């Protein structure tokens, strides 16, 4: 069985390329909306709130000033579906208005937060922004300070992840003209570098009070990641040269073992059973994880030719085993047969069938 020509892999990769492009463009557009519109708006709200002054008109006629009113605590209600302490504070203001606000703090530790106590609540733009329990001030969930961090972090995450997907589309398109591998190293390198950049960008965004500084740090990190990928590319290219053959030593089997695997091909013992049983001179498929029932044994005429990575030109339904799959190319009286399993289990397949013939 000869290796699949590399130019045949191009049509099979059109689906993943289109998926990478579509998702990458979608994420990039969402990131642009968050970074260019939502984040600046929340940052402006923060500045306006921190520079707002107390209302001077009776009743606080302007919503952009800080309007403080007295209120009496009716009751507190703890939110049980949260890991961090959060309480709903139910109050009645001096004019008889009843309302509630959520505070992410443990009100049980505040003596002044007992029912019947008098407190002061401060409004800004018609929402309660903080509550004064005597000398203790607690901000509500409507606190606009640092509210920009959430859209900024999500936007930077989506932007970096979208860029990673677009790079994966480009590398997949390029590799399709050079290799039939289902998981080419070029795509793996792009995904690894992109993941590092995503983690760094999210960390910088969430822990920064300065948007420009966080973007600058993320940009510098991107340059470092690109440089590291450029240094790693020649090493990975040399490592993956050749015909993709993976050299594995057969296991010496003294008893039968059962593991995930599949036999594919135009042979009666192929199918979607899901498990393989390998033993001394025995290779069989079975749907039973214990390997005891409904076994279909492969004949002794099944001969291994080589072990290789998965190809996109493999038959539909080939399992990937979370990227750990390998394919044992075999032949049964001239009929091509593929045995797919995890790399760590492939030596047991070779132990059952016999070693790959030396070239």
């Amino acid at each position: 069985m000869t290796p699949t020509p590399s130019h045949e892999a191009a049509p099979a990769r059109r689906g993943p390329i289109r998926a990478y492009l579509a998702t990458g463009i979608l994420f990039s557009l969402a990131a642009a909306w968050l970074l260019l519109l939502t984040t600046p708006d929340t940052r402006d709200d923060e500045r306006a709130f921190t520079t707002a002054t107390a209302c001077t008109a009776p009743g606080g006629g302007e919503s952009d000033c800080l309007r403080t009113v007295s209120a009496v605590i009716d009751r507190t209600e703890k939110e049980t579906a949260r890991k961090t302490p959060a309480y709903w504070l139910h109050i009645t203001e001096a004019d008889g208005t009843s309302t509630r606000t959520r505070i992410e703090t443990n009100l049980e530790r505040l003596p002044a937060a007992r029912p019947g106590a008098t407190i002061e609540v401060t409004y800004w733009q018609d929402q309660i922004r903080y509550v004064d329990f005597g000398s203790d001030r607690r901000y509500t969930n409507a606190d606009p300070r640092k509210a920009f961090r959430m859209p900024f972090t999500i936007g930077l995450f989506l932007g970096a992840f979208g860029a990673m997907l677009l790079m994966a589309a480009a590398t997949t398109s390029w590799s399709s003209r050079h290799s039939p591998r289902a998981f080419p190293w070029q795509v793996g390198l792009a995904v690894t570098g992109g993941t590092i950049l995503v983690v760094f960008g999210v960390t910088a965004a969430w822990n920064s009070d300065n948007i420009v500084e966080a973007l600058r740090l993320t940009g510098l990190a991107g340059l470092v990641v690109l440089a590291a990928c450029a240094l790693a590319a020649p090493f990975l290219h040399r490592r993956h040269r050749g015909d993709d053959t993976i050299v594995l030593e057969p296991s010496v089997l003294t008893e039968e073992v059962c593991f995930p695997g599949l036999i594919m091909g135009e042979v009666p013992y192929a199918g979607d059973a899901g498990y393989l049983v390998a033993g001394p001179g025995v290779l069989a498929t079975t749907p039973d994880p214990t390997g005891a029932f409904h076994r279909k044994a492969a004949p002794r005429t099944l001969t291994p030719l080589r072990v290789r990575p998965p190809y996109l030109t493999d038959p539909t339904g080939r399992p990937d085993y979370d990227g750990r799959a390998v394919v044992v190319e075999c032949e049964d009286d001239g009929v091509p047969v593929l045995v797919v399993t995890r790399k760590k289990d492939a030596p047991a397949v070779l132990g059952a069938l016999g070693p790959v013939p030396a070239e």
Side-chain angles (χ1 to χ4, degrees), residues 70-272:
S70 297
V72 175
I73 299 176
D74 296 328
R75 71 181 192 277
T76 59
E77 180 183 345
K78 184 177 182 180
E79 282 198 334
T80 57
R82 297 173 59 90
K83 291 183 179 180
T84 56
Y87 285 78
W88 283 103
L89 182 67
H90 296 259
I91 60 175
T92 299
E93 298 176 12
D95 61 359
T97 301
S98 295
T99 186
R100 68 174 187 169
T101 186
R102 194 177 73 188
I103 300 178
E104 294 188 358
T105 190
N106 192 346
L107 294 182
E108 294 177 354
R109 297 182 179 180
L110 290 177
R114 67 186 183 279
T118 300
I119 58 175
E120 290 186 334
V121 296
T122 298
Y123 285 83
W124 182 74
Q125 291 188 349
D126 301 323
Q127 292 188 64
I128 299 176
R129 306 294 176 161
Y130 57 84
V131 180
D132 289 314
F133 300 90
S135 60
D136 291 317
R137 175 170 293 179
R138 294 293 185 269
Y139 286 85
T140 70
N141 66 312
D143 179 15
R145 300 175 309 156
K146 300 181 181 179
F148 75 93
R149 283 183 174 179
M150 184 60 72
F152 182 48
T153 302
I154 296 175
L156 205 54
F157 166 79
L158 292 178
F161 196 73
M164 180 185 72
L165 292 174
L166 294 176
M167 183 62 68
T171 53
T172 301
S173 177
W174 181 88
S175 64
S176 68
R177 298 189 294 271
H178 298 80
S179 170
R181 282 181 172 234
F183 308 104
W185 66 264
Q186 294 91 347
V187 178
L189 184 62
V191 171
T192 300
T195 301
I196 295 173
L197 187 59
V198 166
V199 172
F200 186 90
V202 167
T203 303
W206 187 253
N207 293 284
S208 177
D209 292 327
N210 189 311
I211 296 176
V212 176
E213 183 67 15
L215 291 174
R216 187 181 70 84
L217 290 175
T218 304
L220 291 175
L223 294 177
V224 174
V225 169
L226 285 175
C229 290
L231 293 174
F235 169 77
L236 293 173
H237 176 70
R238 288 193 299 269
R239 181 180 177 184
H240 292 89
R241 284 187 304 182
D243 64 352
D244 293 336
T245 297
I246 300 173
V247 179
L248 294 175
E249 290 294 327
S251 297
V252 178
L253 300 174
T254 58
E255 60 182 4
E256 292 185 351
V257 292
C258 185
F259 47 84
L262 195 65
I263 295 179
M264 311 182 76
E266 299 297 326
V267 289
Y269 49 88
D272 55 357

